Amino acid sequence: MATISKWWERFKNYMNPYIHPSIKEGLYRMNLKSTRDIAFAFTIAESLMLLYYILFDGTILHSGGVFPSSVYSIIVSAITFVISHHGLKSSKRPFKSYRFLCITYFFLIIGFGMFVSFYHYVRGKQMFIFFAAIFCLVNFILLPPCVSSILIWGAYLVFYLILYSYDGAKTINLFNYCIFAILTLVGSLNKYRMQATELERIHRIETMNDMLQNVPVHDNVTDMKNRYALRDDFNSYQNHHIIVVMLDLDEFKKIIEELGQDVSDSILRQVGECIKTNLTDSHSYRYGSDSFLIILQDMELSDALQKLSIWERNMATLSIPEINKPIHYTSGYSHGTPRDEDELRMLIEAADRKRRDFC
């Protein structure tokens, strides 16, 4: 019994999957756009076909139902195109309110396909239009599983009953006919779920991007960039030769415990100001609570080392407020030309390893 209930639960979830409301609205918009496109394609195709009959094969128009069915499909498709285009471009209504337009158009075009294919069937010709119409609609229009099951199975069943009532559907292979119906339905269900999954993935990415954009990229204490800003600055370092410097303040936690937060903030401001004044303002970062990252770009190594030497002499003049002791730190550097973010991360790690070697 537990197994049956489990399979039943899976079936219900498959036929009625939970989709976030914002993603549903995206599906409705995509469906409306697809309906507009397929309606436009049908309008043009049927108009050209009717024009061909009028100019080159007028006798076929005297056959019962050919001219009315062509006009019917053109009018239905043209009206659907206008409504869906209006919904996409100028309407203030939510896309959800147009969901019945897609279902109605599906139903009307399938009816057209049945009529034309039955017309061909009674004359011994291939029933191409019904199958072509249903496959085109399934490829363009996204239908929820329950709706698609009713429409697709219903269309195949009704059409078969029409043929059966005419001559017992003598020329129809029922097995192949059912296979076509199953494949059409499975294709519709999978397309819907794949598209919903893709929109859900896009929704998660956009949500994460919004969260990242709201993360502050400047440090309030030192007025320097923080490590989150490094992500936005990567393009300026990519394929450029850079010197990466990592600096850590020694026993900084002990200073906070003994002298308090105000003194530690004063130390951080001194160090940050010294870095911005002597090395770089736009490419320096407070990388952690007591660590700094400096990137010198498009500079010869000898020039960078000279600049770092001047900076170290100025750092030696800094002192801890109140007790007037020098600020101790360790630093290390690396250099290279990063081609991607992983290579930049490797340069930062190399500079940090060199820093630790001096500890």
Side-chain angles (χ1 to χ4, degrees), residues 58 109 196 258 263 271 293 356:
I109 291 299
E258 294 181 355
V263 173
V271 174
L293 170 68
R356 290 196 300 268

Side-chain angles (χ1 to χ4, degrees), residues 30-228:
M30 187 175 296
N31 225 13
L32 191 61
K33 183 178 183 301
S34 297
T35 303
R36 181 195 64 179
D37 294 343
I38 191 65
F40 178 76
F42 265 111
T43 303
I44 298 300
E46 285 297 319
S47 297
L48 292 175
M49 185 63 69
L50 184 60
L51 184 63
Y52 173 81
Y53 288 151
I54 293 172
L55 296 177
F56 303 106
D57 195 5
T59 56
I60 199 172
L61 295 178
H62 299 297
S63 302
V66 173
F67 182 77
S69 64
S70 296
V71 173
Y72 163 84
S73 66
I74 292 171
I75 292 175
V76 167
S77 296
I79 291 174
T80 302
F81 170 76
V82 171
I83 296 174
S84 56
H85 184 75
H86 172 74
L88 287 167
K89 297 297 182 182
S90 56
S91 177
K92 302 299 183 182
R93 300 171 66 185
F95 297 119
K96 180 181 179 180
S97 60
Y98 291 92
R99 66 189 184 279
F100 294 113
L101 175 67
C102 308
I103 298 173
T104 302
Y105 183 65
F106 189 101
F107 179 80
L108 293 175
I109 291 299
I110 290 301
F112 162 77
M114 288 182 187
F115 176 83
V116 175
S117 288
F118 180 74
Y119 175 86
H120 290 156
Y121 180 79
V122 298
R123 287 161 177 77
K125 298 180 181 179
Q126 292 183 345
M127 301 180 300
F128 172 75
I129 299 298
F130 170 72
F131 296 105
I134 200 166
F135 275 119
C136 284
L137 291 171
V138 165
N139 277 313
F140 273 84
I141 298 178
L142 295 170
L143 296 173
C146 289
V147 176
S148 63
S149 299
I150 294 171
L151 287 179
I152 294 172
W153 275 102
Y156 275 96
L157 179 61
V158 168
F159 188 52
Y160 183 80
L161 291 176
I162 291 173
L163 299 179
Y164 188 83
S165 64
Y166 175 72
D167 64 353
K170 291 185 294 185
T171 61
I172 300 296
N173 185 314
L174 184 58
F175 178 78
N176 290 340
Y177 190 84
C178 291
I179 292 297
F180 274 129
I182 292 171
L183 290 176
T184 307
L185 179 59
V186 170
S188 176
L189 296 178
N190 284 340
K191 182 178 174 63
Y192 182 84
R193 292 181 69 86
M194 287 173 62
Q195 196 61 66
T197 301
E198 178 65 15
L199 286 176
E200 188 174 356
R201 185 184 68 83
I202 294 172
H203 175 73
R204 286 200 303 267
I205 292 173
E206 289 176 348
T207 301
M208 291 177 63
N209 287 337
D210 290 340
M211 291 174 60
L212 289 173
Q213 288 176 0
N214 292 327
V215 173
V217 294
H218 273 80
D219 174 50
N220 292 330
V221 177
T222 61
D223 197 29
M224 301 172 74
K225 296 178 180 179
N226 62 24
R227 64 188 305 158
Y228 297 109

Side-chain angles (χ1 to χ4, degrees), residues 280-319:
T280 175
D281 186 6
S282 57
H283 300 296
S284 54
Y285 308 84
R286 184 180 175 191
Y287 202 65
S289 61
D290 59 350
S291 61
F292 295 83
L293 170 68
I294 303 104
I295 298 180
L296 303 177
Q297 184 177 344
D298 295 329
M299 186 181 298
E300 293 293 334
L301 183 58
S302 58
D303 295 336
L305 291 176
Q306 185 178 1
K307 199 167 187 177
L308 286 170
S309 178
I310 296 171
W311 165 71
E312 287 174 346
R313 289 199 296 269
N314 282 280
M315 283 288 293
T317 65
L318 304 182
S319 62

